[in-house]
Amino acid sequence: MILIRPASISVNQLKNTFLITLAVSMVSAIGGLFFNTMPLLLGSAGEASNMSAGQLGKLSITAGAGYLLGTLTGPFWVDRVNWRMAAFAIVAAAIAAFLAVSQLSGLQLFIGFPIFGFICALAIALAMRVLADMPDPEHAYGTRLSVELVSIGVFLIFLPIIFIAKAGFSGAMYGLACMAALLGLGCFLFPKKTSVKAAADTTGFPSWEKARHSWAVLGIFALYLLLNVGLFYFLYVIAQGFNPTNAQNGLMFGVLKWLGGAAGALGAIIGARAGVKLPHFIALAILLIGVLGLFLAQTFTQFMVASWVWEFGFTLGCLYQTAAIVRYDMSNKLVVLVPMAFGLSMMFGGGIAGGLIEADLTPVLYTLVAFCAAIPALYIYLARPSEPFAELAS
């Protein structure tokens, strides 16, 4: 039996649910630019400033710190402002930040990265909250992932062969500014405020007693992200051991995001019809096959294909865990902390991955990725929650 959430939007808004979801997903993708382009940003920054893997790991920590700080501000403003005006302001700030950071190098990047990370976090925090008002969380967040990853996947094809090839790290930041301007068109269809009475009437976060399963899944999601994000950040660095061309790098990361988008689309189509338990195990199985392929890869093509499999499983897992957080929390508040989990993973996952790679312990990284990925599925399997979780999980 599936837990049915009460209608989250009015009749008039219901007619435009898809367009609203699409527009919000476009703005959300600006926040996704920060995360999904980080491997290429770190790689190009390292080449431009002659940084080691360990230094790049520390750079990712500062970037994650800025992103984390941005997500932590969400609960204090996201339900107090005009959502449409806030979206326009965030897009403008992101474009300005990308252009400003393009002029930085060396130690200056340790200041610039957290600044644009902070702004990107505001975009995704706002979008996550708006999408929580949609009547079908799996469909809403699946659409978000699909729009974000497909659009960024196309962008990643051109980022290394046009922007980075011609102007290095500065070119990468110019490209991000252009992409943010394009995605910012979604601001025009943003809703102005929430239409959910329960959310409007709730001040602060729900208590543990009212949303304990949502809190639990949120914590587990942070562990899930920890090393998977660390691996993603350093896929570019690891792949360079196979001496790929710029075109091969573009193909790898472009298709990587397309497949992530396909995972989001699949989740949106299936919705909650497959229940809660089965999708977690399917996502875990796909992810583990990908990690094993990365470990066994002997050529760049093998490594590339394995990374695609890993990305599909990873994204599918992200979708269902995010939707679970929303389904167990009728206030729609806790989902604002989902970007915080990404911020924590950026800080600590990137640092751990960079240190392991620099110490020539990449197999250990793969092992830790598999371990962290298994935690959500094990929780779903072993937990014996009470209503309404049991109703949804059955």
Side-chain angles (χ1 to χ4, degrees):
M1 181 176 179
I2 302 300
L3 177 64
I4 304 300
R5 288 167 58 84
S8 298
I9 55 179
S10 67
V11 175
N12 290 334
Q13 287 177 312
L14 186 59
K15 298 177 181 178
N16 299 316
T17 295
F18 175 74
L19 289 178
I20 293 173
T21 301
L22 180 63
V24 174
S25 298
M26 290 173 64
V27 174
S28 175
I30 295 176
L33 282 174
F34 172 77
F35 172 74
N36 290 298
T37 63
M38 190 58 68
L40 293 175
L41 295 184
L42 289 175
S44 59
E47 292 168 358
S49 300
N50 195 28
M51 292 183 179
S52 66
Q55 290 175 313
L56 292 177
K58 294 176 182 177
L59 183 59
S60 74
I61 292 176
T62 64
Y67 189 89
L68 176 60
L69 182 60
T71 64
L72 291 176
T73 68
F76 299 101
W77 62 268
V78 74
D79 278 307
R80 300 173 182 266
V81 300
N82 180 302
W83 285 347
R84 186 178 300 168
M85 296 305 298
F88 276 113
I90 291 170
V91 170
I95 294 172
F98 290 141
L99 293 176
V101 174
S102 71
Q103 304 304 308
L104 305 181
S105 62
L107 294 178
Q108 296 173 332
L109 295 176
F110 285 85
I111 298 175
F113 267 56
I115 290 176
F116 81 77
F118 177 89
I119 296 171
C120 286
L122 301 183
I124 201 166
L126 175 62
M128 294 293 282
R129 171 62 190 89
V130 176
L131 289 176
D133 277 10
M134 299 299 104
D136 186 338
E138 285 81 7
H139 181 271
Y141 291 108
T143 301
R144 167 190 164 266
L145 281 173
S146 183
V147 170
E148 177 178 317
L149 296 180
V150 170
S151 62
I152 293 177
V154 174
F155 176 61
L156 286 173
I157 292 290
F158 299 102
L159 183 61
I161 62 177
I162 296 180
F163 295 101
I164 294 178
K166 291 185 177 180
F169 174 73
S170 294
M173 301 308 295
Y174 294 147
L176 288 176
C178 293
M179 190 62 176
L182 179 62
L183 293 170
L185 295 176
C187 294
F188 289 98
L189 293 180
F190 243 74
K192 294 181 178 181
K193 61 181 181 179
T194 183
S195 58
V196 180
K197 188 177 186 302
D201 292 343
T202 301
T203 301
F205 293 118
S207 65
W208 173 265
E209 288 74 17
K210 291 183 178 180
R212 61 187 182 279
H213 299 303
S214 189
W215 281 107
V217 175
L218 177 63
I220 291 170
F221 186 43
L223 292 176
Y224 173 84
L225 291 172
L226 184 63
L227 270 299
N228 278 283
V229 169
L231 172 60
F232 174 71
Y233 271 16
F234 285 89
L235 276 179
Y236 178 90
V237 174
I238 298 172
Q240 300 320 295
F242 298 101
N243 297 314
T245 64
N246 283 332
Q248 287 176 315
N249 281 324
L251 177 64
M252 173 179 166
F253 283 100
V255 175
L256 191 82
K257 294 297 103 179
W258 290 344
L259 287 174
L266 178 63
I269 293 171
I270 295 175
R273 285 174 290 187
V276 169
K277 294 184 179 181
L278 183 58
H280 281 282
F281 284 99
I282 292 176
L284 175 61
I286 296 172
L287 184 148
L288 292 179
I289 292 172
V291 172
L292 181 62
L294 293 174
F295 175 72
L296 298 175
Q298 298 297 314
T299 66
F300 177 76
T301 298
Q302 293 173 354
F303 184 88
M304 177 172 63
V305 172
S307 73
W308 294 343
V309 176
W310 165 80
E311 167 72 12
F312 193 94
F314 171 58
T315 305
L316 200 60
C318 287
L319 162 60
Y320 275 97
Q321 289 175 67
T322 300
I325 292 169
V326 175
R327 282 196 173 276
Y328 310 152
D329 172 27
M330 291 296 103
S331 75
N332 287 354
K333 301 291 186 180
L334 284 181
V335 72
V336 177
L337 295 181
V338 167
M340 180 197 70
F342 275 96
L344 288 171
S345 67
M346 291 174 192
M347 286 184 63
F348 299 107
I352 293 171
L356 289 173
I357 293 171
E358 188 171 35
D360 199 24
L361 294 174
T362 304
V364 176
L365 172 60
Y366 293 145
T367 302
L368 292 174
V369 167
F371 175 77
C372 289
I375 294 174
L378 289 175
Y379 172 81
I380 295 297
Y381 177 76
L382 296 175
R384 295 293 184 268
S386 58
E387 302 290 346
F389 184 93
E391 184 180 1
L392 176 60
S394 60

